[in-house]
Amino acid sequence: MDNISIARLLDETASLLEIDSADPFRIRSYRRAAEAVEQQTTQLSTIADDPKALLAIPGIGKGMAANIVFLLTTGTMPLREELLQKYKPTMLDLLRLPGMGPKTVALVWSACQVCDIDGLEAAAKAGHLTKLPRMGEKFVIKLLKGIEDHRKNSSRFRIDKAQQHADTIINLIRAFPGIDEIIPAGSLRRGRETVGDLDLLATGPACEPDVVSAAVEHVASLPLIDKLIAKGQNKVSFTLRNNLQVDVRLLPGASYGAALQYFTGSKMHNVALRQRAIKRGLTLSEYALLRLEDNVIVAAASEADIYNALDLDYIPPELRENGGELEAAATHNLPQLITLADIRGDLHMHTEATDGRDTIRQMAEAALLRGLNYIAITDHSKNLAMTNGLDDTRALAHIKRIREVDAQLQQDLVALNESLARDTPPTNSRISNLWDLLKTSSSRPDHNIADPSQASSSRPEAAHFAAAAERPPHFADATTRPPLTLPLTFRILPGIEVDILADGALDLDDSTLAQMDIVVASVHSHFNQAADEMTARVLRALENPHVRILGHPTGRKVLGREPYAINIDTILKQAAKLGVAVEHNASPARADLNDLHLRLAKKHNCKIVINTDAHATEELDQMRYGITQLRRAWLSPADILNTQPTAEALLKNLRPKP
DNA sequence: GCCGTTTTCGGCCCGACTGTTTTCAGTCG
């Protein structure tokens, strides 16, 4: 059993305990253990013989270690079995519905014997639920809507989850000798926010027709396959335990480009492209672009060949939605799309001072190693009590601390740059860690990023940094990290994420905000306000001259909450007029502005920033998903403010401080 | 159930909102 499965079972047990009204702290310890297991870079199955190794993981004590050993040896554990005597595993689905918490799940089970979504829907429609305590008409309406949304979304996977699964499978398939390239096609390659299934296309000597059967067998026997759906001559289809369907195609090099083009889609883009081919006396299929009259192959080995043969510039996958990209490609008017390497700063992140995990210095070093030149630390303000939000006094103390850490870092960078120039290890212990990470990553240019097990557990950053290495030639990757340029420069800007209260006021004093370089104002509560109230509230917040960035402007969450009711058009216009930048939240869970919003922002000449809202160092990597969404909105580096090379240049482009 | 220390047990983020009540439980972030 792998770590992911262990983590899932521990997390499920926590949910079952919740339904069972167990001690909340016991429940939390199961959740924490699940998270800890998930984050381990070594497989627990390889270290479970050593009792000390498990206990060394924070969050794993004697009891949890025993649970893990049980899971590894028997596939289950006593507590889980005991709970499954009382409850059904399908109840865990009910917990994902809005308004359905553990207590309500337990209630409908004891009162109506309802344990799954279909049953709950039937009970709701039959009017059985309104007889129960605390459940009225409104609740039922919300619930039925929630069930509908859940059904619509649950068959799709968020892009980052899909990418993780793709990376894992790609590594397993690459292990087979003679496979040179394997690339995800389909909506994952186009960078859609959610992905229905994975299409993986492999090529190399082992994929040539006379020998491909051995590679097909290898793929069909991958350990992570839950159900094998089909195994053909050069195609294998299967599902994973989470029901994600994966189609792997093994293709000869000669037709790889045609296949990649065909399976990347979108469907409408392909239809338009084939029509264009026919007009030119050609025919396009997944095997090749052929001349109709004599079936001579015009192009097939690479996508660029195919587009060029159709008198088109190469069209990046993100634009292939039949949204004007063919016309633009025909007239050489495709935009120069933004890439991850263009982003020089990240202006929204949290630290341990509130609900983040890492320190100011750790966030700064992690950003530095990712090629950024500046960050802003923007912890929460007091109204978000659950995050330990900062009141005025603490906020002022915090930015003093940020300035101190920045000053220290400036000194350290001087020493580090000297060491790098002379190529001699530094004597300063504060920078020896940074030195090691820089040296580790640059000395391993062939490091393969997608294999997390290769990452040293004590130095996760090294693997992150090496991510920029080796990409297959067919993979025009916009999310490659930029190489570091010497001398290293870096600035930490003091900031805050203030809360916009129900009436549009901010929850900290102007005198406090005046001390901040970056003030991000965000809505965190009262989502139930009517659209005009919500719009007025945000407009009022924008009037505060200290506000420089409007944080997560729509409150949208991918596969989660719908955006709150707001007149985004009005907001964007006003933000543009006042010079307040709007934030695109790069986190794949809450890509706040969808591509439509982003185009609207550009149309209104809005300043746009892209931030990760990271709560831990590794979340800085989520920037790549945000970049993908910007590309889908046809945005260029010039459209985004934090492509500015330095903190000074960035600040000059933000709304001037009063 | 974990952790840390005060070595044997107490603390572990908590406030706001919702729909239902008529004073609050449950959910959410």
Side-chain angles (χ1 to χ4, degrees), chain A residues 252-271:
Chain A
S255 63
Y256 192 63
L260 196 52
Q261 197 291 312
Y262 181 85
F263 288 109
T264 297
S266 64
K267 201 168 264 176
M268 292 312 292
H269 172 86
N270 285 355
V271 168

Side-chain angles (χ1 to χ4, degrees), chain A residues 1 66-76:
Chain A
M1 184 179 294
N67 280 333
I68 290 170
V69 171
F70 252 112
L71 287 174
L72 284 169
T73 50
T74 68
T76 185

Side-chain angles (χ1 to χ4, degrees), chain A residues 408-473:
Chain A
Q408 179 83 81
L409 185 63
Q410 298 312 318
Q411 287 179 20
D412 291 349
L413 281 179
V414 172
L416 183 59
N417 280 322
E418 278 173 17
S419 288
L420 287 167
R422 290 197 310 262
D423 200 32
T424 46
T427 49
N428 178 344
S429 63
R430 274 196 316 276
I431 54 175
S432 51
N433 187 43
L434 266 176
W435 166 270
D436 286 351
L437 291 172
L438 289 166
K439 285 296 164 184
T440 315
S441 47
S442 56
S443 65
R444 294 173 66 188
D446 58 345
H447 184 84
N448 178 1
I449 80 178
D451 186 355
S453 67
Q454 293 301 307
S456 151
S457 56
S458 59
R459 288 183 194 165
E461 307 301 349
H464 284 305
F465 180 69
E470 188 179 291
R471 289 286 184 179

Side-chain angles (χ1 to χ4, degrees), chain A residues 8-19 31 80 83-84 87-97 100-102 105 115-117 150:
Chain A
R8 201 189 62 206
L9 289 172
L10 291 176
D11 199 64
E12 280 181 14
T13 305
S15 296
L16 290 169
L17 281 168
E18 271 189 317
I19 295 171
R31 293 233 188 270
R80 180 180 154 80
L83 288 163
L84 286 178
Y87 308 103
K88 307 281 179 204
T90 52
M91 289 178 180
L92 302 169
D93 300 334
L94 296 183
L95 287 174
R96 298 208 193 100
L97 298 173
M100 290 294 290
V105 171
C115 66
D116 57 27
I117 293 181
H150 179 80

Side-chain angles (χ1 to χ4, degrees), chain A residues 124-141:
Chain A
K125 286 184 172 162
H128 294 155
L129 296 185
T130 44
K131 296 181 190 125
L132 299 174
R134 293 186 315 280
M135 289 196 189
E137 203 112 323
K138 272 187 170 177
F139 181 89
V140 170
I141 290 168

